[in-house]
Amino acid sequence: MENSVFDTENSRSQMRKGLLEYCTLLAIARGELYASDILNELKADNLIVVEGTLYPLLSRLKSDHLLEYTWKESKAGPPRKYYRLTKEGKDALEQLNQTWHELSLSINSLIKKYEKNN
Amino acid sequence: MENSVFDTENSRSQMRKGLLEYCTLLAIARGELYASDILNELKADNLIVVEGTLYPLLSRLKSDHLLEYTWKESKAGPPRKYYRLTKEGKDALEQLNQTWHELSLSINSLIKKYEKNN
DNA sequence: ACCCACTACCTTTTTATGCAAGGTACTAGG
DNA sequence: CCTAGTACCTTGCATAAAAAGGTAGTGGGT
């Protein structure tokens, strides 16, 4: 018998959703990275991602011309795709920075109103 | 000929997605509201666009037992459903507050790293 | 009495995207 | 040449926002 407890993990996952694209661009903006680097970077900041999420995302950003890559050989394993931002990617990132800023202002404003009534 | 400009609106929409549930709970936490009230509240903060998004969300939160409602007559038009948080809804909101807090810390940390390299 | 505008509720279809799981291929060491 | 490790990618599923369309109560004008 499972008590009908609200599944918070799903909500957490939904919150991360959509922010991943932004975070991925942020990570790549700092220098050339390949998929595993990005994965580690985002995991280090508690933004859980799995391979199956990241690869399609990178492909999509590539076909939107926000990213480009170059193959580089590895000392241990197959060659890697190192991604970097295009000019268009940098512009998009600036816009997403702005969006994030506005969004967090809105939410923090809602939170303040909420806290007053408690 | 359309220049291949990245569709930022879609990204914005994806960012809002998942945060809407949280914001809706935040809005209702401050007192009984009906759908149009909530819509106006969230629109004022650029967090939602249309009715068709809100009604299914309210139904879902209701069936998850986070919300309950009472019918109240209106002076001009059909009766309205006034929503309020259940005990379980208040608990969930506390957890989502925590999740939001952690998430914004993570992203702001990424942003700081990004800004250093610019 | 009737129509129309307004308000409010809800449903159906489409689309986007994260996640789980599974698949291919290169490299190096025994 | 087999195995382990690494790296790439795809397929199928579930979730949920957005777009569009539908139903119904109220009240004012004619």
Side-chain angles (χ1 to χ4, degrees):
Chain A
M1 277 267 289
E2 186 64 27
N3 200 336
S4 71
V5 173
F6 178 65
D7 177 14
T8 314
E9 185 44 47
N10 183 48
S11 292
R12 294 176 67 95
S13 158
Q14 289 299 325
M15 279 196 187
R16 283 192 298 262
K17 202 168 171 168
L19 292 169
L20 269 184
E21 179 180 288
Y22 174 45
C23 294
T24 301
L25 291 176
L26 271 175
I28 297 175
R30 281 165 36 223
E32 288 197 330
L33 297 177
Y34 77 107
S36 290
D37 287 337
I38 301 171
L39 222 44
N40 290 333
E41 177 79 35
L42 297 180
K43 278 181 179 167
D45 279 313
N46 296 310
L47 295 162
I48 303 160
V49 197
V50 291
E51 273 196 317
T53 298
L54 189 60
Y55 281 105
L57 175 58
L58 291 172
S59 299
R60 187 157 43 83
L61 294 174
K62 166 77 167 49
S63 65
D64 286 340
H65 311 290
L66 305 191
L67 296 182
E68 57 192 2
Y69 62 75
T70 36
W71 285 101
K72 291 193 183 173
E73 289 184 5
S74 159
K75 284 166 194 163
R80 303 164 175 174
K81 281 186 177 177
Y82 278 84
Y83 288 91
R84 59 186 172 279
L85 297 189
T86 60
K87 172 73 174 63
E88 209 179 330
K90 286 173 189 169
D91 293 346
L93 179 54
E94 284 303 320
Q95 291 185 55
L96 294 181
N97 273 328
Q98 179 67 18
T99 299
W100 167 252
H101 185 67
E102 289 166 8
L103 197 59
S104 44
L105 282 183
S106 294
I107 293 178
N108 288 331
S109 147
L110 272 175
I111 293 173
K112 278 211 182 87
K113 290 187 203 168
Y114 158 73
E115 284 172 346
K116 274 184 190 163
N117 296 42
N118 279 273
Chain B
M1 277 272 285
E2 185 63 29
N3 200 335
S4 71
V5 174
F6 179 64
D7 177 14
T8 314
E9 185 45 46
N10 182 49
S11 293
R12 293 178 65 93
S13 155
Q14 290 298 325
M15 278 195 187
R16 283 192 299 261
K17 205 167 171 167
L19 293 170
L20 268 184
E21 180 180 289
Y22 174 46
C23 294
T24 301
L25 291 175
L26 271 175
I28 297 175
R30 280 161 40 219
E32 288 196 332
L33 297 177
Y34 77 107
S36 290
D37 288 336
I38 301 170
L39 213 49
N40 290 333
E41 177 83 33
L42 297 179
K43 273 183 179 169
D45 282 317
N46 295 310
L47 292 166
I48 201 175
V49 191
V50 288
E51 272 196 316
T53 299
L54 187 60
Y55 280 104
L57 174 58
L58 291 173
S59 300
R60 187 157 44 84
L61 294 174
K62 166 78 167 50
S63 67
D64 285 341
H65 310 292
L66 305 191
L67 296 182
E68 57 192 1
Y69 61 77
T70 36
W71 286 100
K72 290 193 185 174
E73 288 186 6
S74 159
K75 285 165 193 163
R80 301 164 175 173
K81 281 186 176 176
Y82 278 85
Y83 288 90
R84 61 184 171 281
L85 297 190
T86 60
K87 172 73 174 66
E88 208 179 329
K90 287 173 188 168
D91 292 347
L93 180 53
E94 284 302 321
Q95 291 185 55
L96 293 181
N97 273 328
Q98 179 65 21
T99 298
W100 166 252
H101 185 66
E102 290 165 8
L103 195 59
S104 44
L105 282 183
S106 295
I107 293 179
N108 288 331
S109 150
L110 271 175
I111 292 173
K112 278 213 182 84
K113 289 188 202 167
Y114 159 72
E115 283 171 348
K116 273 185 193 163
N117 295 43
N118 280 273

